[in-house]
Amino acid sequence: MSNKSYSINQLMQIQACTNCQACVEACPAVAGSRDGKLSAAFRLTELGRLVKARAGLWRRLGFGKAPTQKALRAFGDTVFRCTLCGNCRQVCPVGLDLTGLWHSIRQDLVASDAYPGKIDLIRENLNESHNVFGEDNEERAEWVEDMPDAPDHGYVKQRAEVIYFTGCVSSFFPLAQRIPIAVAKLFDAARIDFSLLGEDEWCCGFPLLGAGLGDRIDELVENNVAAIKAKGARQVVFACPSCYRMWQEHYPNEFEIFHVTEFLAGLLKQDRLPLQKLDLTVTYHDPCDLGRGAGTFEAPRDIIRSIPGVRFVELANNRENCSCCGGGGNLEMIDAELSANIAANKMKAVTATGAQAVVSACQQCVRTMTTFAKRNKVPVAVMDITQLLHQALAGEK
Ligand code: SF4
Ligand code: SF4
């Protein structure tokens, strides 16, 4: 472990915390566990102690000992039980870049061999299979086989104007595969010349950042950029907000990139998607990476409001204050029970709106909320915004 994992600015931020506790109130992990040790305030206090204990001068002056491996591991246990949702950063009155710090601490703890064992699984899966689940990457576009009317090329074309970058969850997780099916049908309806990358799509690298392995993303970035260039595409569309943010922040600026909500909202404005009436009351869950992360709040709402017959009700906490679904930060792999508790709180808030369906714009949110709703028989439908729009497409049943 080394204090060099942190910039001077980050080390100053640790000292700037006023311990006002606003982040404790806002943290879904604290609410889901009733454990204040998962809060930003506790984490900053601990980090300050550890940084000081590691500083050579401080020790030479006789103040304290270097942190033991046991102490580091105990700290790691709290650090990785966090969804990286950014709500603490949103509410912090001092304006501390808390999520930036959480990534640096994870990187530090991995370098110090004080991290949960599940992190090794993410590293191995991405090394060996280029996807987060360790599945055969050649099967990335197998979901197309569930589309009886798919074209012969199976949406993996030699050349195309637009690439639909599917993402690991939608590619491999059966429940989420309804999302790429809806996207393909909507793009076909609007006559978009698009292609998938198929087996040439590798994980975007986002799970590596959350795993404290951000120094290993280069190979994935190079592969994905080369695969898109080979198809001659200029535009890339993502239905996964985490892939989208990853491209915004860590990929070279060589293509025009869109979250699918922005792309579809544009098609609706151009009248390229004829819609029929849907009799449904819906609420919308802002995915952390799309809302607080990428600042996209209006496009999904524009889509929902454009569907005739749909009644839209906001969650009590919405837009930048929307609470996490429990699916972020690799939390499901590290602490599935906490992830489910956070999902329970989310679904309580959804039920309180009286909506018949909760719509999100993220494969992982849909997966987390659907799993909780099914297991606990919550009488609310969970769907991605692409599925909602596909249902409303004229001529679809
Ligand atoms: S909200 Fe900011 S200043 Fe207040 S306790 Fe949390 S980290 Fe510290
Ligand atoms: S990122 Fe979210 S889960 Fe993690 S400490 Fe901040 S508010 Fe809590």
Side-chain angles (χ1 to χ4, degrees):
M1 192 169 185
S2 157
N3 287 352
K4 287 185 189 147
S5 305
Y6 308 95
S7 66
I8 302 281
N9 185 283
Q10 285 181 314
L11 293 173
M12 283 164 60
Q13 288 192 41
I14 300 168
Q15 304 305 325
C17 170
T18 60
N19 203 21
C20 71
Q21 306 277 303
C23 54
V24 184
E25 293 286 313
C27 178
V30 172
S33 63
R34 301 189 182 278
D35 182 355
K37 286 188 176 172
L38 303 193
S39 70
F42 175 84
R43 199 172 295 157
L44 286 185
T45 308
E46 279 299 285
L47 180 61
R49 251 177 16 89
L50 289 171
V51 163
K52 216 179 239 184
R54 280 187 312 189
L57 175 64
W58 193 256
R59 282 213 310 280
R60 279 200 298 280
L61 290 172
F63 297 103
K65 297 179 189 148
T68 62
Q69 202 60 19
K70 193 175 164 201
L72 290 179
R73 282 192 179 273
F75 184 45
D77 184 49
T78 62
V79 167
F80 282 89
R81 288 164 69 213
C82 158
T83 64
L84 298 175
C85 70
N87 220 15
C88 47
R89 182 178 190 267
Q90 180 68 35
V91 299
C92 177
V94 183
L96 304 181
D97 177 15
L98 296 170
T99 31
L101 268 166
W102 306 159
H103 280 111
S104 296
I105 302 176
R106 287 182 182 210
Q107 195 139 342
D108 182 353
L109 290 168
V110 168
S112 310
D113 196 23
Y115 59 94
K118 291 277 172 65
I119 295 296
D120 287 329
L121 190 62
I122 296 172
R123 182 185 354 225
E124 280 161 25
N125 286 349
L126 288 186
N127 269 351
E128 288 163 20
S129 314
H130 308 308
N131 62 74
V132 75
F133 299 114
E135 295 284 344
D136 183 348
N137 210 52
E138 287 182 8
E139 293 171 5
R140 259 204 191 256
E142 253 192 22
W143 52 268
V144 177
E145 290 169 18
D146 290 336
M147 297 178 70
D149 46 359
D152 291 344
H153 52 59
Y155 296 113
V156 183
K157 294 160 46 174
Q158 294 286 329
R159 311 275 298 172
E161 286 170 18
V162 177
I163 295 298
Y164 167 35
F165 191 92
T166 319
C168 294
V169 175
S170 278
S171 295
F172 293 107
F173 201 80
L175 195 151
Q177 286 172 336
R178 293 174 205 160
I179 297 171
I181 290 173
V183 172
K185 292 202 169 186
L186 289 163
F187 283 8
D188 276 348
R191 300 188 182 283
I192 302 296
D193 172 26
F194 78 100
S195 176
L196 309 171
L197 295 178
E199 64 187 277
D200 293 333
E201 177 182 311
W202 290 4
C203 173
C204 67
F206 190 82
L208 286 175
L209 293 190
L213 298 164
D215 50 345
R216 292 171 179 248
I217 62 171
D218 291 355
E219 196 193 355
L220 303 173
V221 171
E222 280 163 25
N223 173 81
N224 289 328
V225 168
I228 292 171
K229 278 187 178 165
K231 297 220 183 271
R234 288 179 301 106
Q235 296 185 319
V236 190
V237 180
F238 307 86
C240 170
S242 306
C243 296
Y244 177 53
R245 255 194 100 184
M246 190 71 197
W247 278 70
Q248 272 186 333
E249 294 173 16
H250 298 277
Y251 276 64
N253 187 15
E254 297 192 31
F255 311 102
E256 205 181 349
I257 61 170
F258 302 86
H259 185 259
V260 75
T261 50
E262 297 162 337
F263 198 79
L264 291 171
L267 294 177
L268 285 166
K269 272 194 198 121
Q270 295 163 25
D271 282 330
R272 291 173 68 179
L273 290 168
L275 301 182
Q276 60 191 0
K277 198 172 168 194
L278 274 189
D279 181 18
L280 196 65
T281 304
V282 307
T283 190
Y284 175 66
H285 164 72
D286 290 272
C288 302
D289 283 320
L290 187 64
R292 271 187 298 275
T296 302
F297 297 108
E298 292 314 319
R301 287 171 171 80
D302 288 348
I303 293 173
I304 293 171
R305 291 197 183 102
S306 71
I307 302 173
V310 166
R311 295 166 298 279
F312 178 39
V313 282
E314 289 278 14
L315 281 159
N317 290 327
N318 57 64
R319 296 173 190 260
E320 47 278 282
N321 297 316
C322 193
S323 63
C324 178
C325 70
N330 303 323
L331 180 65
E332 209 182 344
M333 286 180 100
I334 309 274
D335 186 341
E337 190 183 335
L338 176 56
S339 174
N341 289 349
I342 297 173
N345 287 338
K346 178 85 242 182
M347 291 309 287
K348 251 187 234 161
V350 165
T351 310
T353 65
Q356 295 161 292
V358 54
V359 176
S360 192
C362 167
Q363 47 195 357
Q364 185 60 17
C365 297
V366 168
R367 191 164 90 98
T368 310
M369 291 192 287
T370 304
T371 304
F372 182 84
K374 276 194 173 164
R375 280 196 190 141
N376 296 280
K377 301 193 170 33
V378 180
V380 175
V382 181
M383 65 180 87
D384 190 75
I385 196 154
T386 52
Q387 293 171 269
L388 178 74
L389 194 58
H390 175 227
Q391 268 186 37
L393 203 55
E396 294 289 332
K397 285 185 191 151

